[in-house]
Amino acid sequence: MNDSLHQRAKQLIAQERIEGLSAADHQWLQQHLQDCSECVAVSSATTQALRSLRAVSIPISANLASRTQFRVRLRAQQLQISEPRWRIVWLSSAASWIFGAATAPYVWRGLQYLGHRAGVPNIVWQMSFALWWALPAIAVGAILLAENARRGSESDWLTQLK
């Protein structure tokens, strides 16, 4: 038998223990194992190794499970708290941009009228329009900075729990 058949058999032996096999692959493997003593040895060694691993007990500290549960619950609470807030931020930003795009020509004309009427240089009322357009992005940026600062302070007290 060639090496590619043995390689396929070894791969299927491992896959059978982890993921399971399709009917065709299982049938091919069983047929191959009837003809190949080398692959039978690999299969039995794999089975024995898995039995040995299942029998090994690993000593852990008494409070490891409770600490792990605490951290999982804490992270779940953090995700529950932050997700609705982010949804609101994204929805309000999208609404703001849509509203801004719909009203941009009117705001432009209004600022132009006020600028000319008040005798303000063109650059001033044009910069006012740019500021009006960028205001949602500035607000979201401020929220993101505040959120990152809060996360930084949370990670400090999480490291103290270790």
Side-chain angles (χ1 to χ4, degrees):
M1 290 198 186
N2 62 19
D3 287 337
S4 65
L5 291 177
H6 293 299
Q7 289 295 80
R8 180 175 182 217
K10 289 176 185 176
Q11 180 184 6
L12 290 176
I13 289 168
Q15 185 178 349
E16 182 180 36
R17 304 305 194 283
I18 297 169
E19 303 169 7
L21 295 176
S22 66
D25 285 340
H26 182 73
Q27 184 179 3
W28 182 89
L29 181 62
Q30 293 304 318
Q31 182 65 35
H32 181 78
L33 290 176
Q34 288 177 357
D35 299 336
C36 180
S37 60
E38 179 184 339
C39 291
V40 168
V42 169
S43 178
S44 62
T46 302
T47 302
Q48 182 60 37
L50 288 173
R51 280 190 197 132
S52 299
L53 283 174
R54 287 186 186 120
V56 172
S57 66
I58 300 172
I60 58 173
S61 65
N63 62 355
L64 178 64
S66 63
R67 286 189 313 191
T68 304
Q69 287 175 345
F70 170 75
R71 291 192 186 258
V72 168
R73 286 186 184 126
L74 181 66
R75 182 65 182 147
Q77 286 175 348
Q78 288 173 342
L79 290 175
Q80 285 176 346
I81 290 170
S82 67
E83 183 187 332
R85 185 181 324 149
W86 282 111
R87 190 175 301 142
I88 291 169
V89 167
W90 287 114
L91 287 175
S92 63
S93 294
S96 175
W97 281 102
I98 290 169
F99 180 72
T103 61
Y106 305 112
V107 173
W108 179 267
R109 286 188 199 128
L111 288 173
Q112 182 181 25
Y113 174 76
L114 290 174
H116 289 300
R117 185 92 169 150
V120 177
N122 284 346
I123 190 73
V124 173
W125 68 262
Q126 289 171 352
M127 290 303 290
S128 298
F129 177 79
L131 180 64
W132 169 82
W133 185 259
L135 196 57
I138 292 169
V140 169
I143 291 170
L144 289 174
L145 285 174
E147 184 71 21
N148 285 339
R150 187 181 63 81
R151 283 187 185 163
S153 65
E154 280 181 3
S155 65
D156 292 342
W157 70 269
L158 283 175
T159 54
Q160 292 173 357
L161 292 175
K162 291 182 180 178

